[in-house]
Amino acid sequence: MTQVFHASRFFGAMSLAAAIDAGAFGPPGSAERVLIVTNNAPIPEAALGLDEAPGFGALRDRFDRIVSWNEIIAPLHPSDWKPRSIEAPMLGRLLQSALGLEHIEEMVLESVIVPPARALPGLFKDAMLTIYSDGLMAHSPTRDVLPGEISQRITRLLHLDLVPGLTPLLLGEYGVPAQPLPPGAFTDVVGRVAAASGPMPEGEAIVLGQYLSSLGILTPDEEFKLHADMIRGVIAHGHRSIVFKPHPAAGRRQGRELAQIAAGLNASLTVAPDEVPAEVLFAARRARLVVSCFSTALMTARRFFGLPVATVGADLLLERLTPYENSNRVPVTIVDATIPRLDADGTLTEPSVGDVPGLVEAVAYCMQSAAHPGLRPAAEAYVKANGPMRYFKKKRLEALDLIAKPAPPPPPPPKTGLARLKQIVKG
């Protein structure tokens, strides 16, 4: 028996290790465990692979073998390539033979929506599927409709319990049960990775960058301004040493420019290595404040490491996200509704949302009403109690009959006899 795991991010690999340690995949030695790693960097050849990153040695012993998907499909890029349906059976047999996989009992994937994880179930059609969540995205409705030959094979959704009392919606329309991982298993794994990673940069505050310009949500200039506002807010809050953790895909330019802004305000900024997960920074350094826009790491910082957190720019993202069905909407909503806002003058404003589960269900219904008709009563109750807040678009609420449509304009006044005569002559 063989269990095949897939990871493209260090966060995902740590989640897998925690799940294995917690017994989610049976006792040690019960099956051969093969980890397929992918490097999704724009130029993978110039980027450090997941299994080459500092600290990965702390995860390696959970797996019997580690295989590079990039090497298998080279020179194609893993984020772009997916097999044609007519070729999938043949390629599946060839891959199974080349990898020495006699019988795959279970495939454990970080996604079934986009390549490369989306390609694997189509190649190995006999394996049952476990999906493990990509942070806060697990609370979003499933973005795309899945074919039955995939959805019927998914047995569970493993996830970190990031928001107490909130059950993930991902894959819920297919009847897939959500299974939370014990928080202690995850923090233990992160601690081991931190110990194996070497010295970490020091700072009173940690600012987590997000690569929103690549998604077309913000322009590069707007994204830089957002990060600069975070730096200024942190300094205004009283912190003089900052660690900036850029998004792995963002490059180093922003870090250098942000360091200049910090220096102009009599503070220092150190850029953390790209390959170091934010959670490893949390475990290695007891930060006094962690700031980002809507990163999942805000929740892991608070939930698993007990660190103070704050958000900047979530309200802007709520306006900019298009279409309304954008899967980032629920993560932004959760962060805006549960995390204090850091203002320009350094003050922290606590969120005022009381019923977070009700809000998330209402937003999810507005995003995917056809897939989640059972959420309509919750949406009706929430909107009735709270009105059309900034988490909703008024026209969408009207289209779903969650608020009354505006009255139609009055009919034009009847035309006079002279006007009728002119119309007849004109005609």
Side-chain angles (χ1 to χ4, degrees):
M1 296 290 187
T2 303
Q3 294 170 331
V4 176
F5 301 79
H6 169 256
S8 65
R9 299 171 58 219
F10 211 128
F11 178 80
M14 291 192 298
S15 298
L16 287 178
I20 291 171
D21 292 352
F25 299 103
S30 59
E32 181 191 27
R33 290 171 179 157
V34 178
L35 175 64
I36 296 177
V37 296
T38 54
N39 186 338
N40 296 339
I43 307 176
E45 296 80 6
L48 207 60
L50 168 60
D51 55 329
E52 302 170 320
F56 185 83
L59 310 179
R60 192 177 294 273
D61 63 354
R62 274 74 168 190
F63 307 99
D64 298 293
R65 286 191 287 147
I66 296 178
V67 177
S68 169
W69 187 246
N70 293 65
E71 292 179 5
I72 292 173
I73 66 169
L76 303 173
H77 194 285
S79 294
D80 299 329
W81 180 77
K82 58 182 179 179
R84 295 188 301 172
S85 57
I86 195 172
E87 298 172 340
M90 175 194 67
L91 290 174
R93 291 195 303 270
L94 290 174
L95 284 171
Q96 197 159 333
S97 175
L99 296 175
L101 304 175
E102 294 185 2
H103 177 65
I104 302 176
E105 176 188 25
E106 183 178 19
M107 293 200 75
V108 187
L109 307 171
E110 64 184 2
S111 172
V112 284
I113 302 301
V114 296
R118 179 65 177 84
L120 293 170
L123 293 170
F124 304 103
K125 293 181 178 294
D126 296 329
M128 301 306 289
L129 305 175
T130 289
I131 308 301
Y132 67 96
S133 79
D134 186 17
L136 287 174
M137 293 290 282
H139 294 283
S140 290
T142 312
R143 190 179 75 187
D144 298 329
V145 177
L146 297 177
E149 65 98 7
I150 289 180
S151 63
Q152 293 172 10
R153 292 157 55 196
I154 302 174
T155 60
R156 57 181 170 166
L157 170 69
L158 295 177
H159 68 97
L160 294 173
D161 189 18
L162 296 170
V163 189
L166 204 59
T167 301
L169 289 168
L170 183 67
L171 303 173
E173 64 268 44
Y174 299 104
V176 176
Q179 178 181 335
L181 296 176
F186 182 72
T187 53
D188 181 66
V189 165
V190 175
R192 293 174 184 271
V193 172
S197 296
M200 291 288 117
E202 297 187 22
E204 299 173 357
I206 298 174
V207 173
L208 307 171
Q210 294 187 250
Y211 201 31
L212 302 173
S213 59
S214 69
L215 302 176
I217 301 173
L218 299 179
T219 67
D221 287 344
E222 288 172 330
E223 182 176 75
F224 177 77
K225 181 181 182 303
L226 176 64
H227 292 152
D229 288 344
M230 295 179 190
I231 301 301
R232 294 188 182 99
V234 165
I235 295 172
H237 193 65
H239 303 298
R240 294 295 164 190
S241 58
I242 303 166
V243 176
F244 178 65
K245 175 68 178 71
H247 189 281
R252 311 289 290 183
R253 181 182 65 85
Q254 278 204 10
R256 292 191 296 268
E257 295 177 354
L258 292 173
Q260 294 174 0
I261 291 176
L265 296 171
N266 298 318
S268 64
L269 183 144
T270 304
V271 180
D274 294 343
E275 62 272 9
V276 174
E279 288 74 18
V280 173
L281 291 176
F282 303 156
R285 303 293 179 202
R286 183 72 192 177
R288 292 167 57 191
L289 185 64
V290 178
V291 178
S292 187
C293 183
F294 69 102
S295 172
T296 289
L298 287 174
M299 307 312 254
T300 59
R302 181 168 70 175
R303 178 84 168 122
F304 300 125
F305 299 95
L307 301 178
V309 295
T311 177
V312 174
D315 52 347
L316 172 64
L317 268 291
L318 287 171
E319 289 296 322
R320 290 294 187 88
L321 285 175
T322 56
Y324 191 85
E325 296 87 341
N326 190 308
S327 296
N328 289 300
R329 184 169 299 281
V330 167
V332 176
T333 297
I334 291 173
V335 167
D336 186 76
T338 62
I339 300 293
R341 183 181 71 248
L342 178 64
D343 296 318
D345 62 359
T347 60
L348 292 175
T349 304
E350 292 292 331
S352 58
V353 176
D355 181 11
V356 175
L359 170 62
V360 172
E361 289 182 343
V363 170
Y365 176 75
C366 291
M367 290 172 63
Q368 300 281 2
S369 59
H372 291 275
L375 295 180
R376 182 172 180 85
E380 290 175 334
Y382 192 88
V383 173
K384 181 178 180 181
N386 298 277
M389 305 166 65
R390 69 175 182 272
Y391 303 107
F392 308 97
K393 300 296 184 184
K394 191 173 181 181
K395 288 185 177 180
R396 182 158 290 246
L397 293 176
E398 292 171 355
L400 293 171
D401 290 325
L402 291 173
I403 61 174
K405 295 182 175 66
K415 295 181 179 180
T416 64
L418 180 59
R420 285 183 186 173
L421 181 59
K422 287 182 178 180
Q423 187 176 23
I424 293 171
V425 171
K426 200 173 186 180

